[in-house]
Amino acid sequence: MNQNVQAHTGAWVTFTYASFAASAFLVAVGVFFLPIDLWMKGYLAMGIVMLVQTCVTLTKTVRDNHESSKLVNRIEDAKAERLLMEVSKAA
């Protein structure tokens, strides 16, 4: 369908998953070993989980908006091309 879209390589996908897992693990270990009360650790953990969730949501929203604008542009291009073809046939 869309020939301009290139799939990510397996190595890149693996790298992104590994980077996310490593950073989440290291932050969790850091929070666990903080010399603070348990409720403070829970609050930090909750904040981290919510931050990750909102980053995923924001990323998906930005990508969805970009994809929808590409579809609208393709529809507009098709309409313009059809109009040009009709004008050239009439001339």
Side-chain angles (χ1 to χ4, degrees), residues 9-68:
T9 64
W12 176 254
V13 173
T14 302
F15 173 76
T16 57
Y17 279 105
S19 297
F20 175 77
S23 62
F25 174 74
L26 292 172
V27 168
V29 168
V31 169
F32 179 77
F33 285 111
L34 279 174
I36 56 177
D37 293 333
L38 186 59
W39 70 268
M40 290 182 198
K41 291 179 184 182
Y43 181 78
L44 288 173
M46 179 186 65
I48 292 166
V49 168
M50 290 179 71
L51 180 63
V52 169
Q53 184 268 328
T54 56
C55 286
V56 170
T57 304
L58 177 63
T59 302
K60 183 183 178 335
T61 302
V62 169
R63 181 173 176 99
D64 288 350
N65 285 340
H66 177 70
E67 291 293 324
S68 68

